[in-house]
Amino acid sequence: MTPETFKTWRKTLGLKQKDAADKLGLKKRVIQYYEKGHRDGKKVEIPKSVELACMALSLGYEEYDGRPLPRSATEALGETAEDV
């Protein structure tokens, strides 16, 4: 995830930097570093765990209880391949 796509993700969800930080369990300053792509002249990488958390939030998952998730959209709707 690039700094640009991270910022686009946040704005698409209508989140302020503080809101995104709260949802991701981060400090607002870290969100700012991710969006800039650097801190004090050093490149800042967005961790895979943050990228996956962004995806989960985009899909509407605010919490995860450990249950297996559907492998496809049809499974999410409770349909089988024969129903489609």
Side-chain angles (χ1 to χ4, degrees):
M1 183 174 232
T2 66
E4 295 80 19
T5 56
F6 182 80
K7 188 172 186 176
T8 299
W9 164 82
R10 177 180 62 78
K11 289 186 170 199
T12 299
L13 266 62
L15 300 173
K16 295 182 179 189
Q17 289 179 334
K18 176 70 172 128
D19 299 330
D22 290 343
K23 288 185 178 293
L24 294 169
L26 302 169
K27 303 272 186 200
K28 178 183 170 185
R29 193 78 184 128
V30 174
I31 300 299
Q32 293 169 338
Y33 296 146
Y34 288 166
E35 290 186 2
K36 285 183 181 179
H38 61 85
R39 176 184 179 198
D40 299 328
K42 296 179 184 172
K43 185 175 180 178
V44 172
E45 296 280 338
I46 298 171
K48 182 64 76 176
S49 58
V50 171
E51 183 178 344
L52 292 171
C54 291
M55 181 181 70
L57 290 169
S58 293
L59 293 171
Y61 292 98
E62 297 266 340
E63 295 181 18
Y64 179 56
D65 62 7
R67 288 183 294 155
L69 298 176
R71 297 181 64 87
S72 71
T74 56
E75 289 179 43
L77 298 172
E79 300 172 346
T80 64
E82 293 81 31
D83 295 332
V84 176

